[in-house]
Amino acid sequence: MVTDFQMIAEAFRGKRVLVTGHTGFKGSWLCLWLSEMGAEVTGVALPPPEGPSLFESARIADLVDHRIADIRSADEFERATEDCDADLVIHMAAQSLVRPSYEDPVGTIATNVTGTAVVLDRARRMPNLKGIVVVTSDKCYENHEWPWPYREDDQLGGADPYSASKGCTEIIASAFRQSYFSAAGDVKVATVRAGNVFGGGDWAVDRLIPDIIRATLGGESVTIRNPASVRPWQHVLEPLSGYLQVGVLLMSDDAEKYAEAWNFGPSADAFMKVDTIARGLQRHWGEGAAEIEFGKREGDPHEAGMLTLDSSKARQRLGWTPRLSTEQAIAITAKWYRAFADGDADMREFTRQQIREYEGGDAVLQTQEEKLTVCA
């Protein structure tokens, strides 16, 4: 069984969807996809960051009911959504990076933990709401850096503020599920956990592919820390397809069966070292790619060396499966940034086309003979 995108599109057509964090990288891809499906999307988030962003490049504000609010403030979020009665809430707003969480642990926890409580508290008072998808992270697990992937029932935890905040987000979602959404006919809540996501339009600081792209466009070299660290790498469309499928099921008559945690990670051959991904992007960019140096800087905070996900449950119960190899994912990511850099492409339409090719299974690309090497 594979994901039926026609069924998903039909399920979302005309549905009212509230997306928090719609100005971010993943949120922008999601809103563009939902808009393509005919959903009526309301987005609530902080303003997009200064500098390039997918939100601006693809003109997402023209496609959604674009609203600005800080989810850390219950009053501010209430005012921003006072007239909003959605069928589905997809909560993506977050402080989404490990290293900045060391610099601002209180802000990270306030956004990811208190902010989630604010969103869920407002959502439970929407009269016609059917489901809530809370997006967390693979970092929510207590990471023992063991060689086997984490399953949904493994222990939650976190050795750094970001990871701890994501473990707490899972606990908050579970508490709301049991306290307010446990009776038959109630709104159903699911959490979704993805691996290291990349794709066109990500400009976040201290993230591997954006750092390489910035250096490439600036004609500079780039230093990559932790080259031997292993992560479950995947293109942004892979987990988003899972989030959309869970959203559809939470609006269905069988919603109760899906109100739980779900991993959406790549197949085992995408559990790769940082340097493998970096070299792959460099190779797909070709001439002019940034020179890459590896090495941690003095004072760099701790980051886990090994973290992988087991998505067997999603494969078996949802029929969800990754559609892109890591080689293909890197190739279409490089293609997006090249189109952006050339300056001639309509980036909304270009991004839409990548979504359509992904849906249609047409994203199999002509790649170079050299393949990415699976990490042992």
Side-chain angles (χ1 to χ4, degrees), residues 193-226:
R193 309 162 180 174
N196 279 46
V197 171
F198 62 87
D202 185 3
W203 298 100
V205 177
D206 277 330
R207 198 135 65 190
L208 179 64
I209 286 180
D211 285 350
I212 297 172
I213 294 296
R214 268 189 295 271
T216 298
L217 299 183
E220 302 171 348
S221 62
V222 60
T223 300
I224 302 299
R225 63 190 184 274
N226 304 318

PDB file of all heavy atoms in Angstrom, residues 193-226:
ATOM      1  N   ARG A 193       6.444  12.788  14.654  1.00  0.00           N
ATOM      2  CA  ARG A 193       7.875  12.965  14.906  1.00  0.00           C
ATOM      3  C   ARG A 193       8.649  12.629  13.643  1.00  0.00           C
ATOM      4  O   ARG A 193       8.538  11.524  13.115  1.00  0.00           O
ATOM      5  CB  ARG A 193       8.315  12.039  16.051  1.00  0.00           C
ATOM      6  CG  ARG A 193       7.441  12.155  17.294  1.00  0.00           C
ATOM      7  CD  ARG A 193       7.606  10.970  18.228  1.00  0.00           C
ATOM      8  NE  ARG A 193       6.764  11.087  19.417  1.00  0.00           N
ATOM      9  CZ  ARG A 193       6.630  10.138  20.346  1.00  0.00           C
ATOM     10  NH1 ARG A 193       7.297   8.988  20.214  1.00  0.00           N
ATOM     11  NH2 ARG A 193       5.854  10.326  21.383  1.00  0.00           N
ATOM     12  N   ALA A 194       9.443  13.587  13.170  1.00  0.00           N
ATOM     13  CA  ALA A 194      10.230  13.377  11.952  1.00  0.00           C
ATOM     14  C   ALA A 194      11.712  13.498  12.254  1.00  0.00           C
ATOM     15  O   ALA A 194      12.113  13.969  13.317  1.00  0.00           O
ATOM     16  CB  ALA A 194       9.827  14.388  10.878  1.00  0.00           C
ATOM     17  N   GLY A 195      12.515  13.083  11.293  1.00  0.00           N
ATOM     18  CA  GLY A 195      13.955  13.133  11.433  1.00  0.00           C
ATOM     19  C   GLY A 195      14.526  14.459  10.958  1.00  0.00           C
ATOM     20  O   GLY A 195      13.867  15.504  11.033  1.00  0.00           O
ATOM     21  N   ASN A 196      15.753  14.444  10.458  1.00  0.00           N
ATOM     22  CA  ASN A 196      16.406  15.656   9.963  1.00  0.00           C
ATOM     23  C   ASN A 196      15.875  15.987   8.577  1.00  0.00           C
ATOM     24  O   ASN A 196      16.201  15.324   7.595  1.00  0.00           O
ATOM     25  CB  ASN A 196      17.922  15.476   9.937  1.00  0.00           C
ATOM     26  CG  ASN A 196      18.538  15.685  11.299  1.00  0.00           C
ATOM     27  OD1 ASN A 196      18.041  15.157  12.295  1.00  0.00           O
ATOM     28  ND2 ASN A 196      19.602  16.457  11.357  1.00  0.00           N
ATOM     29  N   VAL A 197      15.057  17.018   8.523  1.00  0.00           N
ATOM     30  CA  VAL A 197      14.333  17.369   7.303  1.00  0.00           C
ATOM     31  C   VAL A 197      15.090  18.448   6.539  1.00  0.00           C
ATOM     32  O   VAL A 197      15.611  19.396   7.123  1.00  0.00           O
ATOM     33  CB  VAL A 197      12.916  17.856   7.668  1.00  0.00           C
ATOM     34  CG1 VAL A 197      12.219  18.422   6.449  1.00  0.00           C
ATOM     35  CG2 VAL A 197      12.112  16.713   8.267  1.00  0.00           C
ATOM     36  N   PHE A 198      15.142  18.299   5.220  1.00  0.00           N
ATOM     37  CA  PHE A 198      15.747  19.330   4.381  1.00  0.00           C
ATOM     38  C   PHE A 198      14.941  19.472   3.107  1.00  0.00           C
ATOM     39  O   PHE A 198      14.063  18.665   2.798  1.00  0.00           O
ATOM     40  CB  PHE A 198      17.214  19.011   4.075  1.00  0.00           C
ATOM     41  CG  PHE A 198      17.439  17.739   3.297  1.00  0.00           C
ATOM     42  CD1 PHE A 198      17.402  17.724   1.916  1.00  0.00           C
ATOM     43  CD2 PHE A 198      17.694  16.536   3.961  1.00  0.00           C
ATOM     44  CE1 PHE A 198      17.610  16.553   1.196  1.00  0.00           C
ATOM     45  CE2 PHE A 198      17.910  15.359   3.256  1.00  0.00           C
ATOM     46  CZ  PHE A 198      17.867  15.374   1.868  1.00  0.00           C
ATOM     47  N   GLY A 199      15.236  20.519   2.358  1.00  0.00           N
ATOM     48  CA  GLY A 199      14.545  20.775   1.106  1.00  0.00           C
ATOM     49  C   GLY A 199      14.734  22.220   0.708  1.00  0.00           C
ATOM     50  O   GLY A 199      15.263  23.040   1.469  1.00  0.00           O
ATOM     51  N   GLY A 200      14.279  22.570  -0.482  1.00  0.00           N
ATOM     52  CA  GLY A 200      14.413  23.933  -0.956  1.00  0.00           C
ATOM     53  C   GLY A 200      13.688  24.923  -0.069  1.00  0.00           C
ATOM     54  O   GLY A 200      12.603  24.651   0.427  1.00  0.00           O
ATOM     55  N   GLY A 201      14.307  26.078   0.129  1.00  0.00           N
ATOM     56  CA  GLY A 201      13.661  27.143   0.886  1.00  0.00           C
ATOM     57  C   GLY A 201      13.987  27.183   2.351  1.00  0.00           C
ATOM     58  O   GLY A 201      13.471  28.041   3.077  1.00  0.00           O
ATOM     59  N   ASP A 202      14.830  26.286   2.826  1.00  0.00           N
ATOM     60  CA  ASP A 202      15.267  26.331   4.219  1.00  0.00           C
ATOM     61  C   ASP A 202      16.491  27.244   4.303  1.00  0.00           C
ATOM     62  O   ASP A 202      17.511  26.978   3.687  1.00  0.00           O
ATOM     63  CB  ASP A 202      15.621  24.920   4.699  1.00  0.00           C
ATOM     64  CG  ASP A 202      15.963  24.871   6.186  1.00  0.00           C
ATOM     65  OD1 ASP A 202      15.868  25.914   6.860  1.00  0.00           O
ATOM     66  OD2 ASP A 202      16.326  23.786   6.674  1.00  0.00           O
ATOM     67  N   TRP A 203      16.374  28.305   5.109  1.00  0.00           N
ATOM     68  CA  TRP A 203      17.475  29.248   5.277  1.00  0.00           C
ATOM     69  C   TRP A 203      17.889  29.362   6.729  1.00  0.00           C
ATOM     70  O   TRP A 203      18.546  30.330   7.127  1.00  0.00           O
ATOM     71  CB  TRP A 203      17.075  30.627   4.733  1.00  0.00           C
ATOM     72  CG  TRP A 203      16.771  30.613   3.274  1.00  0.00           C
ATOM     73  CD1 TRP A 203      15.547  30.578   2.686  1.00  0.00           C
ATOM     74  CD2 TRP A 203      17.724  30.624   2.188  1.00  0.00           C
ATOM     75  NE1 TRP A 203      15.663  30.563   1.309  1.00  0.00           N
ATOM     76  CE2 TRP A 203      16.986  30.598   0.983  1.00  0.00           C
ATOM     77  CE3 TRP A 203      19.112  30.658   2.144  1.00  0.00           C
ATOM     78  CZ2 TRP A 203      17.591  30.602  -0.263  1.00  0.00           C
ATOM     79  CZ3 TRP A 203      19.729  30.668   0.903  1.00  0.00           C
ATOM     80  CH2 TRP A 203      18.969  30.634  -0.289  1.00  0.00           C
ATOM     81  N   ALA A 204      17.530  28.404   7.570  1.00  0.00           N
ATOM     82  CA  ALA A 204      17.837  28.479   8.997  1.00  0.00           C
ATOM     83  C   ALA A 204      19.344  28.491   9.229  1.00  0.00           C
ATOM     84  O   ALA A 204      20.103  27.821   8.518  1.00  0.00           O
ATOM     85  CB  ALA A 204      17.203  27.305   9.743  1.00  0.00           C
ATOM     86  N   VAL A 205      19.753  29.240  10.232  1.00  0.00           N
ATOM     87  CA  VAL A 205      21.159  29.305  10.614  1.00  0.00           C
ATOM     88  C   VAL A 205      21.523  28.068  11.424  1.00  0.00           C
ATOM     89  O   VAL A 205      20.695  27.532  12.176  1.00  0.00           O
ATOM     90  CB  VAL A 205      21.436  30.579  11.434  1.00  0.00           C
ATOM     91  CG1 VAL A 205      22.891  30.630  11.902  1.00  0.00           C
ATOM     92  CG2 VAL A 205      21.098  31.821  10.609  1.00  0.00           C
ATOM     93  N   ASP A 206      22.748  27.597  11.267  1.00  0.00           N
ATOM     94  CA  ASP A 206      23.240  26.426  11.994  1.00  0.00           C
ATOM     95  C   ASP A 206      22.502  25.154  11.602  1.00  0.00           C
ATOM     96  O   ASP A 206      22.281  24.270  12.428  1.00  0.00           O
ATOM     97  CB  ASP A 206      23.152  26.630  13.515  1.00  0.00           C
ATOM     98  CG  ASP A 206      24.349  27.402  14.045  1.00  0.00           C
ATOM     99  OD1 ASP A 206      25.432  27.294  13.450  1.00  0.00           O
ATOM    100  OD2 ASP A 206      24.203  28.110  15.046  1.00  0.00           O
ATOM    101  N   ARG A 207      22.095  25.087  10.332  1.00  0.00           N
ATOM    102  CA  ARG A 207      21.533  23.852   9.801  1.00  0.00           C
ATOM    103  C   ARG A 207      22.359  23.488   8.571  1.00  0.00           C
ATOM    104  O   ARG A 207      22.721  24.359   7.779  1.00  0.00           O
ATOM    105  CB  ARG A 207      20.047  24.026   9.469  1.00  0.00           C
ATOM    106  CG  ARG A 207      19.317  22.718   9.335  1.00  0.00           C
ATOM    107  CD  ARG A 207      17.998  22.688  10.042  1.00  0.00           C
ATOM    108  NE  ARG A 207      17.023  23.616   9.494  1.00  0.00           N
ATOM    109  CZ  ARG A 207      15.852  23.875  10.106  1.00  0.00           C
ATOM    110  NH1 ARG A 207      15.554  23.294  11.249  1.00  0.00           N
ATOM    111  NH2 ARG A 207      15.003  24.722   9.564  1.00  0.00           N
ATOM    112  N   LEU A 208      22.627  22.218   8.409  1.00  0.00           N
ATOM    113  CA  LEU A 208      23.648  21.755   7.478  1.00  0.00           C
ATOM    114  C   LEU A 208      23.480  22.297   6.065  1.00  0.00           C
ATOM    115  O   LEU A 208      24.362  22.990   5.533  1.00  0.00           O
ATOM    116  CB  LEU A 208      23.663  20.219   7.461  1.00  0.00           C
ATOM    117  CG  LEU A 208      24.673  19.569   6.499  1.00  0.00           C
ATOM    118  CD1 LEU A 208      26.096  19.901   6.908  1.00  0.00           C
ATOM    119  CD2 LEU A 208      24.457  18.068   6.440  1.00  0.00           C
ATOM    120  N   ILE A 209      22.381  21.970   5.416  1.00  0.00           N
ATOM    121  CA  ILE A 209      22.229  22.328   4.013  1.00  0.00           C
ATOM    122  C   ILE A 209      22.110  23.839   3.814  1.00  0.00           C
ATOM    123  O   ILE A 209      22.768  24.402   2.923  1.00  0.00           O
ATOM    124  CB  ILE A 209      21.074  21.541   3.377  1.00  0.00           C
ATOM    125  CG1 ILE A 209      21.536  20.088   3.173  1.00  0.00           C
ATOM    126  CG2 ILE A 209      20.607  22.169   2.069  1.00  0.00           C
ATOM    127  CD1 ILE A 209      20.526  19.161   2.555  1.00  0.00           C
ATOM    128  N   PRO A 210      21.318  24.559   4.613  1.00  0.00           N
ATOM    129  CA  PRO A 210      21.315  26.018   4.449  1.00  0.00           C
ATOM    130  C   PRO A 210      22.692  26.656   4.631  1.00  0.00           C
ATOM    131  O   PRO A 210      23.045  27.598   3.909  1.00  0.00           O
ATOM    132  CB  PRO A 210      20.330  26.492   5.529  1.00  0.00           C
ATOM    133  CG  PRO A 210      19.430  25.332   5.748  1.00  0.00           C
ATOM    134  CD  PRO A 210      20.289  24.128   5.578  1.00  0.00           C
ATOM    135  N   ASP A 211      23.481  26.150   5.578  1.00  0.00           N
ATOM    136  CA  ASP A 211      24.828  26.697   5.771  1.00  0.00           C
ATOM    137  C   ASP A 211      25.688  26.507   4.522  1.00  0.00           C
ATOM    138  O   ASP A 211      26.435  27.403   4.120  1.00  0.00           O
ATOM    139  CB  ASP A 211      25.507  26.019   6.968  1.00  0.00           C
ATOM    140  CG  ASP A 211      24.974  26.509   8.307  1.00  0.00           C
ATOM    141  OD1 ASP A 211      24.210  27.502   8.320  1.00  0.00           O
ATOM    142  OD2 ASP A 211      25.311  25.897   9.340  1.00  0.00           O
ATOM    143  N   ILE A 212      25.586  25.321   3.904  1.00  0.00           N
ATOM    144  CA  ILE A 212      26.363  25.055   2.691  1.00  0.00           C
ATOM    145  C   ILE A 212      25.888  25.938   1.529  1.00  0.00           C
ATOM    146  O   ILE A 212      26.697  26.492   0.777  1.00  0.00           O
ATOM    147  CB  ILE A 212      26.278  23.569   2.310  1.00  0.00           C
ATOM    148  CG1 ILE A 212      26.910  22.701   3.402  1.00  0.00           C
ATOM    149  CG2 ILE A 212      26.962  23.311   0.964  1.00  0.00           C
ATOM    150  CD1 ILE A 212      26.703  21.213   3.204  1.00  0.00           C
ATOM    151  N   ILE A 213      24.562  26.091   1.407  1.00  0.00           N
ATOM    152  CA  ILE A 213      24.018  26.914   0.322  1.00  0.00           C
ATOM    153  C   ILE A 213      24.435  28.372   0.491  1.00  0.00           C
ATOM    154  O   ILE A 213      24.847  29.034  -0.474  1.00  0.00           O
ATOM    155  CB  ILE A 213      22.486  26.789   0.270  1.00  0.00           C
ATOM    156  CG1 ILE A 213      22.072  25.364  -0.124  1.00  0.00           C
ATOM    157  CG2 ILE A 213      21.888  27.825  -0.686  1.00  0.00           C
ATOM    158  CD1 ILE A 213      22.499  24.950  -1.519  1.00  0.00           C
ATOM    159  N   ARG A 214      24.351  28.901   1.714  1.00  0.00           N
ATOM    160  CA  ARG A 214      24.765  30.290   1.933  1.00  0.00           C
ATOM    161  C   ARG A 214      26.233  30.495   1.561  1.00  0.00           C
ATOM    162  O   ARG A 214      26.597  31.485   0.929  1.00  0.00           O
ATOM    163  CB  ARG A 214      24.536  30.681   3.397  1.00  0.00           C
ATOM    164  CG  ARG A 214      23.180  31.304   3.668  1.00  0.00           C
ATOM    165  CD  ARG A 214      23.114  31.861   5.074  1.00  0.00           C
ATOM    166  NE  ARG A 214      23.216  30.790   6.060  1.00  0.00           N
ATOM    167  CZ  ARG A 214      22.168  30.115   6.543  1.00  0.00           C
ATOM    168  NH1 ARG A 214      20.956  30.409   6.116  1.00  0.00           N
ATOM    169  NH2 ARG A 214      22.326  29.157   7.432  1.00  0.00           N
ATOM    170  N   ALA A 215      27.073  29.554   1.970  1.00  0.00           N
ATOM    171  CA  ALA A 215      28.492  29.658   1.636  1.00  0.00           C
ATOM    172  C   ALA A 215      28.705  29.581   0.122  1.00  0.00           C
ATOM    173  O   ALA A 215      29.521  30.319  -0.447  1.00  0.00           O
ATOM    174  CB  ALA A 215      29.279  28.554   2.344  1.00  0.00           C
ATOM    175  N   THR A 216      27.979  28.696  -0.536  1.00  0.00           N
ATOM    176  CA  THR A 216      28.083  28.555  -1.987  1.00  0.00           C
ATOM    177  C   THR A 216      27.691  29.849  -2.689  1.00  0.00           C
ATOM    178  O   THR A 216      28.412  30.342  -3.571  1.00  0.00           O
ATOM    179  CB  THR A 216      27.195  27.394  -2.473  1.00  0.00           C
ATOM    180  OG1 THR A 216      27.655  26.169  -1.891  1.00  0.00           O
ATOM    181  CG2 THR A 216      27.221  27.280  -3.987  1.00  0.00           C
ATOM    182  N   LEU A 217      26.552  30.417  -2.301  1.00  0.00           N
ATOM    183  CA  LEU A 217      26.084  31.639  -2.952  1.00  0.00           C
ATOM    184  C   LEU A 217      26.976  32.831  -2.635  1.00  0.00           C
ATOM    185  O   LEU A 217      27.060  33.775  -3.419  1.00  0.00           O
ATOM    186  CB  LEU A 217      24.632  31.931  -2.532  1.00  0.00           C
ATOM    187  CG  LEU A 217      23.604  30.861  -2.914  1.00  0.00           C
ATOM    188  CD1 LEU A 217      22.206  31.294  -2.502  1.00  0.00           C
ATOM    189  CD2 LEU A 217      23.645  30.580  -4.414  1.00  0.00           C
ATOM    190  N   GLY A 218      27.654  32.766  -1.476  1.00  0.00           N
ATOM    191  CA  GLY A 218      28.546  33.849  -1.095  1.00  0.00           C
ATOM    192  C   GLY A 218      29.973  33.645  -1.545  1.00  0.00           C
ATOM    193  O   GLY A 218      30.839  34.496  -1.265  1.00  0.00           O
ATOM    194  N   GLY A 219      30.258  32.540  -2.229  1.00  0.00           N
ATOM    195  CA  GLY A 219      31.606  32.262  -2.690  1.00  0.00           C
ATOM    196  C   GLY A 219      32.584  32.019  -1.560  1.00  0.00           C
ATOM    197  O   GLY A 219      33.771  32.346  -1.673  1.00  0.00           O
ATOM    198  N   GLU A 220      32.112  31.403  -0.476  1.00  0.00           N
ATOM    199  CA  GLU A 220      32.939  31.167   0.699  1.00  0.00           C
ATOM    200  C   GLU A 220      33.045  29.672   0.981  1.00  0.00           C
ATOM    201  O   GLU A 220      32.305  28.862   0.418  1.00  0.00           O
ATOM    202  CB  GLU A 220      32.326  31.875   1.917  1.00  0.00           C
ATOM    203  CG  GLU A 220      32.153  33.377   1.732  1.00  0.00           C
ATOM    204  CD  GLU A 220      31.344  33.999   2.852  1.00  0.00           C
ATOM    205  OE1 GLU A 220      30.732  33.226   3.643  1.00  0.00           O
ATOM    206  OE2 GLU A 220      31.307  35.244   2.942  1.00  0.00           O
ATOM    207  N   SER A 221      33.955  29.322   1.858  1.00  0.00           N
ATOM    208  CA  SER A 221      34.016  27.946   2.353  1.00  0.00           C
ATOM    209  C   SER A 221      33.126  27.843   3.584  1.00  0.00           C
ATOM    210  O   SER A 221      32.692  28.854   4.145  1.00  0.00           O
ATOM    211  CB  SER A 221      35.457  27.558   2.712  1.00  0.00           C
ATOM    212  OG  SER A 221      35.930  28.387   3.759  1.00  0.00           O
ATOM    213  N   VAL A 222      32.843  26.624   4.015  1.00  0.00           N
ATOM    214  CA  VAL A 222      31.979  26.413   5.176  1.00  0.00           C
ATOM    215  C   VAL A 222      32.586  25.328   6.051  1.00  0.00           C
ATOM    216  O   VAL A 222      33.116  24.329   5.553  1.00  0.00           O
ATOM    217  CB  VAL A 222      30.547  26.031   4.730  1.00  0.00           C
ATOM    218  CG1 VAL A 222      30.525  24.748   3.912  1.00  0.00           C
ATOM    219  CG2 VAL A 222      29.616  25.911   5.927  1.00  0.00           C
ATOM    220  N   THR A 223      32.521  25.548   7.356  1.00  0.00           N
ATOM    221  CA  THR A 223      32.992  24.548   8.307  1.00  0.00           C
ATOM    222  C   THR A 223      31.794  23.782   8.848  1.00  0.00           C
ATOM    223  O   THR A 223      30.836  24.383   9.346  1.00  0.00           O
ATOM    224  CB  THR A 223      33.747  25.202   9.479  1.00  0.00           C
ATOM    225  OG1 THR A 223      34.876  25.901   8.959  1.00  0.00           O
ATOM    226  CG2 THR A 223      34.209  24.153  10.481  1.00  0.00           C
ATOM    227  N   ILE A 224      31.836  22.462   8.728  1.00  0.00           N
ATOM    228  CA  ILE A 224      30.758  21.604   9.182  1.00  0.00           C
ATOM    229  C   ILE A 224      31.214  20.865  10.436  1.00  0.00           C
ATOM    230  O   ILE A 224      32.245  20.202  10.438  1.00  0.00           O
ATOM    231  CB  ILE A 224      30.357  20.579   8.092  1.00  0.00           C
ATOM    232  CG1 ILE A 224      29.939  21.321   6.813  1.00  0.00           C
ATOM    233  CG2 ILE A 224      29.245  19.673   8.593  1.00  0.00           C
ATOM    234  CD1 ILE A 224      28.765  22.231   6.974  1.00  0.00           C
ATOM    235  N   ARG A 225      30.456  20.992  11.501  1.00  0.00           N
ATOM    236  CA  ARG A 225      30.782  20.327  12.758  1.00  0.00           C
ATOM    237  C   ARG A 225      30.225  18.903  12.745  1.00  0.00           C
ATOM    238  O   ARG A 225      29.312  18.575  12.003  1.00  0.00           O
ATOM    239  CB  ARG A 225      30.199  21.104  13.932  1.00  0.00           C
ATOM    240  CG  ARG A 225      28.682  21.185  13.922  1.00  0.00           C
ATOM    241  CD  ARG A 225      28.124  22.154  14.954  1.00  0.00           C
ATOM    242  NE  ARG A 225      26.665  22.122  14.979  1.00  0.00           N
ATOM    243  CZ  ARG A 225      25.895  22.843  14.191  1.00  0.00           C
ATOM    244  NH1 ARG A 225      26.440  23.668  13.308  1.00  0.00           N
ATOM    245  NH2 ARG A 225      24.577  22.759  14.265  1.00  0.00           N
ATOM    246  N   ASN A 226      30.778  18.070  13.562  1.00  0.00           N
ATOM    247  CA  ASN A 226      30.271  16.709  13.800  1.00  0.00           C
ATOM    248  C   ASN A 226      30.058  15.907  12.512  1.00  0.00           C
ATOM    249  O   ASN A 226      28.963  15.393  12.259  1.00  0.00           O
ATOM    250  CB  ASN A 226      28.955  16.755  14.593  1.00  0.00           C
ATOM    251  CG  ASN A 226      29.095  17.508  15.902  1.00  0.00           C
ATOM    252  OD1 ASN A 226      30.089  17.343  16.611  1.00  0.00           O
ATOM    253  ND2 ASN A 226      28.111  18.345  16.227  1.00  0.00           N
TER     254      ASN A 226
END
